[in-house]
Amino acid sequence: MNAAPPVSVIMPVLDEERYLRTSVRHILEQEYDGEMEVVIALGPSTDRTDEIAAELVRETASGGRRVLTVPNPTGRTPAALNAAIQASRHPIVVRVDGHGMLSPHYIATAVRLLEETGAQNVGGVMHAEGENAWEDAVAAAMTSRIGVGNAAFHTGGEAGPAETVYLGVFRREALERQGGYNVEFVRAQDWELNFRIREAGGLIWFSPELRVQYRPRPSVRALAKQYKDYGRWRHVVARYHQGSISPRYLAPPAAVCAIAAGLVAGAVLTPLGFVVPAGYLAAIAAGSVPAGRGLPPKARLRIPLALATMHMSWGYGFLTSPRSLARKVIASRRPAVRATGTVYFFTVVQS
């Protein structure tokens, strides 16, 4: 039987004191027979993230699974990922976020799937779970079709080829061939990298066997910022790669426009205009019922607010995404590099 290949786990962190230690513990306790290292890329945090990371380095210094750190002065995720990849050593690279908790067999299952499918990257389900009523409500919204449509990595689905996956477990050769992440993609960097891998003939594979426990944003404000950024950068992706948009992505901006028009019409022209926003509220209230099954009343009551925050923020971000941002990103476009092509150098520091 072949020995399990050594694995590098890379983790970009910024202000992650709440979950960093627990997230790293879920990595170090993986039921995996191969060698493993964890490389944390430290952004300019304002909390105890750096202190906790230093403690983890000291605590694992003499063990078989060591934690290392590298600086990420920009604080931006793609630069952090590239810095961590460069500092890592092993042929399999596992991406984990500072608030993600790997299931016990995650790495072993991912390595097996890479071998079985021949994929360049495999990933699975972003399993949102909260620790209070608000986070439970957000988790329910994020895993419901009324919240995120038919996105498999949120709602689950059958294993098979995918455009992109949550986080990802990569063959290092695929990352190095493509030159890592494009640092201009402050968000949606996973989609862009997976697009280049697919364009070069590589396979991206989704499997519901892979589950990462995810902690939702702890407040309405934080959730709104997260989804505004998602919408803003999804419009950049649509401009970057024409034909990548679908009705699922157009639903939130259409809802924002329709609700705004209804409110104006209701206030200025006729009360019938209020039918549109009222209909939307009725729809998310009805959709909250199946989404909230099994949750306590406090969480179920918050699901409509979570859904409205996600929809409206995503739609607003999409509608206000500046063309100048897309032009800057398009100008940084890297061609996909096939196996016989040139290997790009990684870009780490934002210019």
Side-chain angles (χ1 to χ4, degrees), residues 24-39:
V24 172
R25 178 173 58 79
H26 278 74
I27 298 168
L28 298 177
E29 294 177 357
Q30 283 288 296
E31 297 181 17
Y32 183 67
D33 293 333
E35 184 181 350
M36 186 188 304
E37 65 178 359
V38 182
V39 183

PDB file of all heavy atoms in Angstrom, residues 24-39:
ATOM      1  N   VAL A  24      -7.300  25.514  14.018  1.00  0.00           N
ATOM      2  CA  VAL A  24      -6.023  24.809  13.895  1.00  0.00           C
ATOM      3  C   VAL A  24      -6.088  23.455  14.594  1.00  0.00           C
ATOM      4  O   VAL A  24      -5.533  22.460  14.105  1.00  0.00           O
ATOM      5  CB  VAL A  24      -4.876  25.672  14.456  1.00  0.00           C
ATOM      6  CG1 VAL A  24      -3.575  24.868  14.520  1.00  0.00           C
ATOM      7  CG2 VAL A  24      -4.671  26.915  13.577  1.00  0.00           C
ATOM      8  N   ARG A  25      -6.780  23.369  15.734  1.00  0.00           N
ATOM      9  CA  ARG A  25      -6.918  22.083  16.421  1.00  0.00           C
ATOM     10  C   ARG A  25      -7.611  21.062  15.524  1.00  0.00           C
ATOM     11  O   ARG A  25      -7.221  19.885  15.487  1.00  0.00           O
ATOM     12  CB  ARG A  25      -7.696  22.273  17.721  1.00  0.00           C
ATOM     13  CG  ARG A  25      -7.934  20.952  18.473  1.00  0.00           C
ATOM     14  CD  ARG A  25      -8.549  21.200  19.846  1.00  0.00           C
ATOM     15  NE  ARG A  25      -9.808  21.926  19.748  1.00  0.00           N
ATOM     16  CZ  ARG A  25     -10.976  21.385  19.425  1.00  0.00           C
ATOM     17  NH1 ARG A  25     -11.048  20.091  19.129  1.00  0.00           N
ATOM     18  NH2 ARG A  25     -12.079  22.113  19.397  1.00  0.00           N
ATOM     19  N   HIS A  26      -8.648  21.500  14.787  1.00  0.00           N
ATOM     20  CA  HIS A  26      -9.329  20.576  13.871  1.00  0.00           C
ATOM     21  C   HIS A  26      -8.389  20.080  12.763  1.00  0.00           C
ATOM     22  O   HIS A  26      -8.600  18.990  12.221  1.00  0.00           O
ATOM     23  CB  HIS A  26     -10.541  21.270  13.239  1.00  0.00           C
ATOM     24  CG  HIS A  26     -11.769  21.260  14.102  1.00  0.00           C
ATOM     25  ND1 HIS A  26     -11.897  22.062  15.210  1.00  0.00           N
ATOM     26  CD2 HIS A  26     -12.912  20.538  14.031  1.00  0.00           C
ATOM     27  CE1 HIS A  26     -13.076  21.839  15.772  1.00  0.00           C
ATOM     28  NE2 HIS A  26     -13.700  20.916  15.082  1.00  0.00           N
ATOM     29  N   ILE A  27      -7.383  20.870  12.429  1.00  0.00           N
ATOM     30  CA  ILE A  27      -6.395  20.447  11.430  1.00  0.00           C
ATOM     31  C   ILE A  27      -5.418  19.446  12.048  1.00  0.00           C
ATOM     32  O   ILE A  27      -5.171  18.362  11.510  1.00  0.00           O
ATOM     33  CB  ILE A  27      -5.632  21.652  10.866  1.00  0.00           C
ATOM     34  CG1 ILE A  27      -6.582  22.607  10.149  1.00  0.00           C
ATOM     35  CG2 ILE A  27      -4.526  21.185   9.922  1.00  0.00           C
ATOM     36  CD1 ILE A  27      -5.972  23.956   9.820  1.00  0.00           C
ATOM     37  N   LEU A  28      -4.847  19.820  13.194  1.00  0.00           N
ATOM     38  CA  LEU A  28      -3.821  18.983  13.811  1.00  0.00           C
ATOM     39  C   LEU A  28      -4.363  17.630  14.249  1.00  0.00           C
ATOM     40  O   LEU A  28      -3.602  16.656  14.330  1.00  0.00           O
ATOM     41  CB  LEU A  28      -3.219  19.723  15.014  1.00  0.00           C
ATOM     42  CG  LEU A  28      -2.504  21.041  14.698  1.00  0.00           C
ATOM     43  CD1 LEU A  28      -2.018  21.696  15.984  1.00  0.00           C
ATOM     44  CD2 LEU A  28      -1.344  20.823  13.732  1.00  0.00           C
ATOM     45  N   GLU A  29      -5.674  17.555  14.519  1.00  0.00           N
ATOM     46  CA  GLU A  29      -6.280  16.304  14.967  1.00  0.00           C
ATOM     47  C   GLU A  29      -6.887  15.498  13.815  1.00  0.00           C
ATOM     48  O   GLU A  29      -7.627  14.534  14.049  1.00  0.00           O
ATOM     49  CB  GLU A  29      -7.347  16.606  16.023  1.00  0.00           C
ATOM     50  CG  GLU A  29      -6.768  17.184  17.311  1.00  0.00           C
ATOM     51  CD  GLU A  29      -7.827  17.550  18.336  1.00  0.00           C
ATOM     52  OE1 GLU A  29      -9.036  17.406  18.021  1.00  0.00           O
ATOM     53  OE2 GLU A  29      -7.464  17.979  19.438  1.00  0.00           O
ATOM     54  N   GLN A  30      -6.565  15.847  12.581  1.00  0.00           N
ATOM     55  CA  GLN A  30      -7.064  15.094  11.440  1.00  0.00           C
ATOM     56  C   GLN A  30      -6.629  13.630  11.510  1.00  0.00           C
ATOM     57  O   GLN A  30      -5.492  13.327  11.878  1.00  0.00           O
ATOM     58  CB  GLN A  30      -6.537  15.701  10.137  1.00  0.00           C
ATOM     59  CG  GLN A  30      -7.234  16.969   9.709  1.00  0.00           C
ATOM     60  CD  GLN A  30      -8.642  16.708   9.206  1.00  0.00           C
ATOM     61  OE1 GLN A  30      -8.852  16.048   8.201  1.00  0.00           O
ATOM     62  NE2 GLN A  30      -9.621  17.232   9.935  1.00  0.00           N
ATOM     63  N   GLU A  31      -7.538  12.752  11.146  1.00  0.00           N
ATOM     64  CA  GLU A  31      -7.230  11.328  11.085  1.00  0.00           C
ATOM     65  C   GLU A  31      -6.610  11.030   9.716  1.00  0.00           C
ATOM     66  O   GLU A  31      -7.270  10.563   8.783  1.00  0.00           O
ATOM     67  CB  GLU A  31      -8.499  10.518  11.335  1.00  0.00           C
ATOM     68  CG  GLU A  31      -9.069  10.756  12.733  1.00  0.00           C
ATOM     69  CD  GLU A  31     -10.324   9.955  13.017  1.00  0.00           C
ATOM     70  OE1 GLU A  31     -10.590   8.974  12.266  1.00  0.00           O
ATOM     71  OE2 GLU A  31     -11.045  10.294  13.967  1.00  0.00           O
ATOM     72  N   TYR A  32      -5.329  11.348   9.637  1.00  0.00           N
ATOM     73  CA  TYR A  32      -4.586  11.228   8.370  1.00  0.00           C
ATOM     74  C   TYR A  32      -3.210  10.680   8.680  1.00  0.00           C
ATOM     75  O   TYR A  32      -2.520  11.155   9.600  1.00  0.00           O
ATOM     76  CB  TYR A  32      -4.488  12.594   7.696  1.00  0.00           C
ATOM     77  CG  TYR A  32      -3.799  12.561   6.350  1.00  0.00           C
ATOM     78  CD1 TYR A  32      -4.393  11.915   5.271  1.00  0.00           C
ATOM     79  CD2 TYR A  32      -2.562  13.165   6.169  1.00  0.00           C
ATOM     80  CE1 TYR A  32      -3.764  11.873   4.033  1.00  0.00           C
ATOM     81  CE2 TYR A  32      -1.937  13.139   4.932  1.00  0.00           C
ATOM     82  CZ  TYR A  32      -2.536  12.483   3.872  1.00  0.00           C
ATOM     83  OH  TYR A  32      -1.917  12.439   2.642  1.00  0.00           O
ATOM     84  N   ASP A  33      -2.756   9.701   7.909  1.00  0.00           N
ATOM     85  CA  ASP A  33      -1.512   9.011   8.203  1.00  0.00           C
ATOM     86  C   ASP A  33      -0.274   9.729   7.668  1.00  0.00           C
ATOM     87  O   ASP A  33       0.851   9.401   8.077  1.00  0.00           O
ATOM     88  CB  ASP A  33      -1.550   7.593   7.614  1.00  0.00           C
ATOM     89  CG  ASP A  33      -2.587   6.721   8.313  1.00  0.00           C
ATOM     90  OD1 ASP A  33      -2.887   6.994   9.494  1.00  0.00           O
ATOM     91  OD2 ASP A  33      -3.114   5.790   7.665  1.00  0.00           O
ATOM     92  N   GLY A  34      -0.453  10.679   6.761  1.00  0.00           N
ATOM     93  CA  GLY A  34       0.700  11.324   6.152  1.00  0.00           C
ATOM     94  C   GLY A  34       1.250  12.475   6.966  1.00  0.00           C
ATOM     95  O   GLY A  34       0.624  12.958   7.918  1.00  0.00           O
ATOM     96  N   GLU A  35       2.438  12.918   6.579  1.00  0.00           N
ATOM     97  CA  GLU A  35       3.060  14.086   7.204  1.00  0.00           C
ATOM     98  C   GLU A  35       2.221  15.325   6.916  1.00  0.00           C
ATOM     99  O   GLU A  35       1.588  15.440   5.869  1.00  0.00           O
ATOM    100  CB  GLU A  35       4.481  14.249   6.652  1.00  0.00           C
ATOM    101  CG  GLU A  35       5.272  15.374   7.301  1.00  0.00           C
ATOM    102  CD  GLU A  35       6.664  15.528   6.703  1.00  0.00           C
ATOM    103  OE1 GLU A  35       7.074  14.634   5.908  1.00  0.00           O
ATOM    104  OE2 GLU A  35       7.328  16.522   7.016  1.00  0.00           O
ATOM    105  N   MET A  36       2.244  16.278   7.871  1.00  0.00           N
ATOM    106  CA  MET A  36       1.412  17.464   7.715  1.00  0.00           C
ATOM    107  C   MET A  36       2.102  18.680   8.329  1.00  0.00           C
ATOM    108  O   MET A  36       2.761  18.573   9.363  1.00  0.00           O
ATOM    109  CB  MET A  36       0.050  17.253   8.387  1.00  0.00           C
ATOM    110  CG  MET A  36      -0.957  18.359   8.159  1.00  0.00           C
ATOM    111  SD  MET A  36      -2.447  18.127   9.170  1.00  0.00           S
ATOM    112  CE  MET A  36      -2.947  16.477   8.671  1.00  0.00           C
ATOM    113  N   GLU A  37       1.933  19.828   7.667  1.00  0.00           N
ATOM    114  CA  GLU A  37       2.360  21.115   8.214  1.00  0.00           C
ATOM    115  C   GLU A  37       1.225  22.110   8.035  1.00  0.00           C
ATOM    116  O   GLU A  37       0.385  21.955   7.141  1.00  0.00           O
ATOM    117  CB  GLU A  37       3.618  21.629   7.503  1.00  0.00           C
ATOM    118  CG  GLU A  37       3.393  21.954   6.039  1.00  0.00           C
ATOM    119  CD  GLU A  37       4.635  22.513   5.342  1.00  0.00           C
ATOM    120  OE1 GLU A  37       5.682  22.666   6.000  1.00  0.00           O
ATOM    121  OE2 GLU A  37       4.541  22.795   4.126  1.00  0.00           O
ATOM    122  N   VAL A  38       1.184  23.123   8.900  1.00  0.00           N
ATOM    123  CA  VAL A  38       0.181  24.187   8.818  1.00  0.00           C
ATOM    124  C   VAL A  38       0.921  25.507   8.676  1.00  0.00           C
ATOM    125  O   VAL A  38       1.766  25.846   9.513  1.00  0.00           O
ATOM    126  CB  VAL A  38      -0.712  24.219  10.073  1.00  0.00           C
ATOM    127  CG1 VAL A  38      -1.784  25.312   9.932  1.00  0.00           C
ATOM    128  CG2 VAL A  38      -1.354  22.863  10.328  1.00  0.00           C
ATOM    129  N   VAL A  39       0.609  26.253   7.613  1.00  0.00           N
ATOM    130  CA  VAL A  39       1.244  27.546   7.377  1.00  0.00           C
ATOM    131  C   VAL A  39       0.169  28.630   7.465  1.00  0.00           C
ATOM    132  O   VAL A  39      -0.757  28.669   6.653  1.00  0.00           O
ATOM    133  CB  VAL A  39       1.939  27.598   6.000  1.00  0.00           C
ATOM    134  CG1 VAL A  39       2.649  28.941   5.832  1.00  0.00           C
ATOM    135  CG2 VAL A  39       2.933  26.449   5.859  1.00  0.00           C
TER     136      VAL A  39
END
